[in-house]
Amino acid sequence: MTVLLFLVPLALILGALGLAAFLWALGSSQYEDLEGAAARILADDDLKERAP
Amino acid sequence: MSVDLDYSSLAERRADGARRLDLALDGLTCAACVYEIEAALKSVPALRSARANYADRRLTLEWSDDTFAFPEVAERLRRMGYRARPFARADGEREAMETSRHLMRCFAVAAFAAVNVMLLSEAVWIGQWGDLDPATRDFFHGVSALIAIPASAYAGQPFFASAFAALRAGRLNIDVPITLGVLLALAMSVYETVVHAPHAYFDSAIMLLAFLLLGRWLDSAMRRKTRAVAANLAALRAPIARRIGADGARSAVPPSALAPGDIVEILPGERVPADGVILAGASKLDESLVTGETDHRAVGVGESVYAGSLAFDGALTMRVEAANGGSLIDEIERLVEEATAARSRYLQLADRVSRLYAPAVHVTAFATALVWLAAGASAHDALVAAIAVLIVTCPCALALAAPAVQVAASGALFRAGVLLERGDALERLAEIDTIVFDKTGTLTTPEPRLVDASSLDAELVALAARLAHSSSHPLARALAAGHPRAAPLDGARETRGEGVAAIVDGVEARLGGPRFCDLERESAACAARDPEASIVAFRHGERTAVLRLRQVLRPDAREIIAALEERGLRVIILSGDRIPAVETAARALRVAEWRGALKPADKVAWLETLRADGRKTLMIGDGLNDAPALAAAHVSLSPIDATQLTQAAADAVFLGESLAPIVEALDLATRARGLIRQNLTFAVLYNALAVPLAMAGLLTPLIAAAAMSGSSLLVTINALRAGRARRRAAFRAAPAAQLHGSEASA
């Protein structure tokens, strides 16, 4: 069972990374406009140069 | 409009020199339009960023140097069909946003911790029947402690702060037993871990926090959304003030930016943006929004005018005046203040229950310890039993019982077109037995309408409406509003104060005052028959029409009043308008109790009398003169067309032409109250089952966790029933579409 001494902290660290990522996203206002962001992803402004 | 809209002076200056301006957007109806707007604004010179927010219907502009020209942005938006109005983010809104975010951060931490602690706890529970050796169990408890203690310290902040504040003020609120339960559960679990005992309650403590935080976050998110929509509607409806600078230059500003001493110009058909004194010009004023009086008042130089009045036929120049203590506004503000102070602080049902609950729980725990000691148990065992009582009674279900219902119900209200301003309004709404209506603008439409259209030549009226689209006169605009699809006529010329004319099929068509159309005799006859109506004349060659416009009853007013009476409510009309006008309306609506010609203070006196009779009153009104009565009533509603001060005094605002949201709100409130009571009953039942177990010392962490989460889930699921839409085809006027749509442009 000594493997738990290694696995439990590892699992917790990975989970904490996910939590940190969520808190960062929340702090940088990424959840302020969910519907708008869903539509924005479809915009192809990065292809503008190739347009005629 | 002759003046460019320039709001750049309203921008907020940030630390790095950049300027930032928030705008409310009207016409934003699809999420994809967000991108369209941003793309269109990308090429505006000197604009650093334009970010549209679909959820809030807002646009934020940022620029850094002075070469930025706001009119360019306004013009591009206008061409795409959007209307943008600046608004000052209210302090309350910013605070609410911060609170909401903080709750979400706390919830995220608590949920993360709860999931992980639960995984470890499950291993321990299952291990009880298996071969889990004590060393591994202690290891799991230790890791749980390392997760749960810091997580609770962070995520528990909202509860700890509130409980501490209450205790310092010598009160008890629901957060006191929550805090006590969480802290004791953690402390006892740490002790048990240290002494290698089998039971630890880390999971209960942290899971409790996660559940409660989720409930509070939902509550605050719902409130924030309602408030944002209300602020947008207010910004879009606010008139634009045309300020004349010292150099004679005109600039358009929102009324909130006006300061005493500013000189403002008002054109016919515009609303007065602030209180002040007329410096030049004369006009008839429609003050129905201020006094409830439907007759127009002629004003001239030196007279006082009030925000919200409509200049009918003349241009005015006025100086904005600060409140000096003697004006109508001061009188009304004083009355509102008195009424608000007099309204005894309403104690919410959940608070009333928790006031009984907290002492009862603490006494039970204390008694448990005494009984155990008396029965000869060790101090340790007695303490463990007492703490177990406190843990299991930690009022999770109780704390969720009311807020969960309120969230679901205010969401349903939001969809029905009612925006709740105060959280406890729903509970108060369920208690009422009397409804007091204002007449002007509440039972009647706020804008005048064409009456008796069926007796007129429809083709001629349609032509008149097309012509009316070219006029800024309030009556013409009302006529045009009745025919929104009529195409404006080319080459229409408006003579201010007289009328508008255009050539149609080679013949001149004229719409305006009786003299302008040479119909004085016919108009006088018409006015004699219907003295309350305003007359507009129309002539197209030899074909003529005399149109009568006045405020008419809202289309479903009679139906709604009947529906309210059917529910056993006493309906009363209290109006500031002249007695004959009120009598006509009351008769048409079949309301037996009515009073006219009431001053604001008289309305408050009436409500006081009703209160003295033991009646709980819902006041519905829109005028400035209703504001004190709205504040004095048990609960109050106002239509979205009401003045700002009035809306601030009301507990909720409803949208749209129809009065149906009132019935909807009452029904929802009654239902919500029923559900809150069910939930509270359930929470008490849960305690009745769990407390004896804890007192007997039979409570294990497994039972505690199952009972707590089970009761919380049950209460929450029951609450969701408040939001379920009912099939009420008759009242499905879909005011929800107006929440963000074109309603504000009416």
Side-chain angles (χ1 to χ4, degrees):
Chain A
M1 280 298 187
T2 42
V3 69
L4 284 179
L5 291 176
F6 168 72
L7 281 182
V8 169
L10 183 69
L12 284 176
I13 287 167
L14 287 176
L17 281 179
L19 176 66
F22 174 73
L23 290 178
W24 167 77
L26 193 68
S28 56
S29 305
Q30 297 196 28
Y31 291 95
E32 298 294 300
D33 180 18
L34 296 175
E35 290 161 276
R40 233 181 233 115
I41 191 74
L42 299 174
D44 49 4
D45 53 346
D46 47 341
L47 303 178
K48 196 165 46 188
E49 291 78 19
R50 266 180 265 159
Chain B
M1 201 171 283
S2 55
V3 191
D4 277 336
L5 297 176
D6 191 352
Y7 301 131
S8 36
S9 58
L10 302 169
E12 155 195 353
R13 194 181 284 277
R14 300 203 324 189
D16 57 351
R19 309 274 212 101
R20 177 194 157 108
L21 181 62
D22 287 323
L23 299 160
L25 273 181
D26 184 29
L28 188 59
T29 47
C30 66
C33 310
V34 165
Y35 172 70
E36 186 191 63
I37 291 174
E38 288 172 5
L41 295 183
K42 199 167 268 178
S43 56
V44 173
L47 186 62
R48 194 195 278 175
S49 91
R51 184 94 180 159
N53 183 323
Y54 178 70
D56 289 344
R57 267 70 173 180
R58 285 179 184 171
L59 176 67
T60 304
L61 302 176
E62 275 183 23
W63 68 93
S64 47
D65 60 290
D66 294 333
T67 57
F68 168 73
F70 181 81
E72 172 77 23
V73 171
E75 177 58 22
R76 287 190 193 199
L77 286 174
R78 200 188 56 76
R79 257 186 278 150
M80 285 192 290
Y82 302 109
R83 216 157 58 95
R85 285 292 167 84
F87 72 102
R89 232 172 245 270
D91 289 344
E93 200 189 327
R94 197 167 296 191
E95 228 167 71
M97 202 161 129
E98 241 345 284
T99 315
S100 183
R101 267 198 194 184
H102 183 233
L103 284 172
M104 187 31 120
R105 278 198 298 270
C106 290
F107 169 69
V109 170
F112 166 77
V115 168
N116 286 293
V117 172
M118 192 54 75
L119 280 174
L120 295 165
S121 298
E122 270 166 31
V124 174
W125 298 337
I126 293 167
Q128 281 175 358
W129 297 289
D131 55 351
L132 187 73
D133 62 291
T136 313
R137 190 187 62 210
D138 284 350
F139 170 65
F140 281 173
H141 280 168
V143 175
S144 297
L146 285 179
I147 303 169
I149 292 170
S152 306
Y154 180 77
Q157 288 174 63
F159 306 100
F160 302 158
S162 154
F164 187 62
L167 283 179
R168 227 175 22 177
R171 290 182 294 110
L172 279 179
N173 64 7
I174 193 113
D175 291 329
V176 174
I178 290 174
T179 303
L180 202 63
V182 168
L183 290 181
L184 283 176
L186 288 175
M188 187 167 95
S189 305
V190 169
Y191 176 76
E192 299 280 285
T193 305
V194 171
V195 301
H196 309 292
H199 294 328
Y201 295 91
F202 293 114
D203 45 26
S204 296
I206 192 73
M207 197 172 58
L208 182 80
L209 285 179
F211 265 118
L212 291 173
L213 283 165
L214 182 62
R216 295 214 176 168
W217 177 76
L218 283 173
D219 191 41
S220 101
M222 187 67 226
R223 207 161 295 174
R224 190 172 81 82
K225 186 176 170 193
T226 313
R227 225 179 264 166
V229 170
N232 274 14
L233 287 174
L236 289 166
R237 303 188 77 92
I240 292 299
R242 203 170 289 104
R243 182 164 61 188
I244 308 181
D247 53 354
R250 285 159 170 73
S251 58
V253 296
S256 54
L258 289 175
D262 280 351
I263 310 293
V264 174
E265 178 187 51
I266 302 145
L267 297 182
E270 290 183 352
R271 287 205 185 269
V272 176
D275 304 335
V277 171
I278 299 177
L279 297 180
S283 172
K284 277 188 175 165
L285 280 188
D286 173 357
E287 294 187 312
S288 61
L289 205 53
V290 181
T291 59
E293 171 71 63
T294 43
D295 260 358
H296 302 152
R297 178 168 76 109
V299 291
V301 174
E303 284 185 84
S304 299
V305 291
Y306 303 111
S309 314
L310 186 68
F312 232 74
D313 48 7
L316 298 171
T317 307
M318 61 169 258
R319 187 178 63 233
V320 179
E321 298 267 295
N324 56 14
S327 70
L328 175 73
I329 299 291
D330 295 313
E331 164 84 5
I332 285 183
E333 275 181 353
R334 193 177 53 75
L335 284 169
V336 168
E337 241 165 66
E338 280 175 14
T340 315
R343 174 144 90 189
S344 56
R345 258 187 62 83
Y346 181 79
L347 202 54
Q348 293 191 30
L349 192 57
D351 283 339
R352 273 178 282 168
V353 171
S354 61
R355 239 171 225 213
L356 293 174
Y357 186 81
V361 162
H362 298 157
V363 168
T364 314
F366 190 63
T368 308
L370 286 185
V371 169
W372 275 72
L373 282 176
S378 68
H380 172 261
D381 287 349
L383 204 60
V384 165
I387 290 174
V389 170
L390 287 176
I391 294 173
V392 82
T393 52
C394 192
C396 193
L398 194 66
L400 282 172
V405 173
Q406 266 160 8
V407 169
S410 44
L413 274 179
F414 185 79
R415 287 189 292 280
V418 181
L419 308 181
L420 279 184
E421 303 262 334
R422 301 199 195 7
D424 56 359
L426 203 63
E427 259 178 53
R428 284 184 275 135
L429 210 50
E431 294 176 347
I432 62 140
D433 51 17
T434 309
I435 299 193
V436 175
F437 279 101
D438 166 50
K439 179 185 77 80
T440 319
T442 306
L443 288 172
T444 64
T445 54
E447 311 291 336
R449 293 287 159 83
L450 181 62
V451 286
D452 253 354
S454 54
S455 69
L456 299 163
D457 180 355
E459 193 192 328
L460 212 56
V461 172
L463 186 60
R466 290 181 66 188
L467 198 52
H469 272 283
S470 310
S471 170
S472 63
H473 192 277
L475 289 176
R477 283 221 304 247
L479 184 59
H483 294 75
R485 298 196 183 281
L489 290 165
D490 287 335
R493 288 168 289 104
E494 180 168 28
T495 317
R496 281 209 189 279
E498 293 192 21
V500 55
I503 306 294
V504 183
D505 303 332
V507 185
E508 192 186 42
R510 284 179 159 224
L511 177 76
R515 192 184 311 165
F516 184 68
C517 301
D518 203 13
L519 284 170
E520 283 167 299
R521 208 157 40 80
E522 292 86 336
S523 301
C526 202
R529 262 185 291 129
D530 188 356
E532 277 173 41
S534 305
I535 304 288
V536 180
F538 179 65
R539 174 184 287 281
H540 183 223
E542 287 309 304
R543 300 164 72 198
T544 62
V546 178
L547 311 173
R548 286 180 294 138
L549 291 108
R550 62 179 150 93
Q551 296 188 320
V552 297
L553 292 175
R554 289 192 188 236
D556 58 353
R558 183 188 263 175
E559 225 178 287
I560 293 298
I561 296 230
L564 292 172
E565 282 179 336
E566 198 180 294
R567 282 166 175 72
L569 299 164
R570 177 171 158 196
V571 178
I572 305 175
I573 298 177
L574 298 180
S575 173
D577 203 0
R578 283 156 303 128
I579 289 172
V582 185
E583 189 176 6
T584 320
R587 194 162 295 161
L589 294 168
R590 303 206 185 97
V591 175
E593 288 184 82
W594 57 268
R595 289 288 180 282
L598 294 176
K599 296 246 173 329
D602 299 340
K603 290 198 182 190
V604 175
W606 254 93
L607 289 171
E608 294 298 336
T609 318
L610 286 168
R611 190 211 302 262
D613 289 350
R615 299 216 150 241
K616 301 232 192 284
T617 317
L618 163 64
M619 170 81 203
I620 305 174
D622 76 317
L624 195 57
N625 60 333
D626 295 316
L630 290 170
H634 188 60
V635 58
S636 50
L637 270 172
S638 79
I640 189 71
D641 318 276
T643 56
Q644 218 169 3
L645 187 64
T646 312
Q647 283 188 24
D651 293 308
V653 173
F654 67 92
L655 306 178
E657 174 98 311
S658 156
L659 291 175
I662 297 172
V663 179
E664 197 106 358
L666 285 175
D667 288 354
L668 261 164
T670 315
R671 206 156 112 133
R673 182 177 59 172
L675 285 169
I676 290 180
R677 287 195 173 152
Q678 275 179 19
N679 275 352
L680 289 175
T681 314
F682 180 76
V684 170
L685 272 181
Y686 151 77
N687 280 307
L689 288 176
V691 169
L693 271 182
M695 288 172 83
L698 297 174
L699 185 78
T700 63
L702 176 59
I703 295 175
M708 277 179 169
S709 52
S711 62
S712 304
L713 280 178
L714 207 75
V715 163
T716 310
I717 290 167
N718 192 33
L720 290 179
R721 297 199 297 146
R724 263 201 329 222
R726 279 161 308 154
R727 303 276 163 265
R728 288 277 297 273
F731 293 144
R732 283 272 158 248
Q738 296 163 346
L739 283 177
H740 300 298
S742 55
E743 204 261 348
S745 60

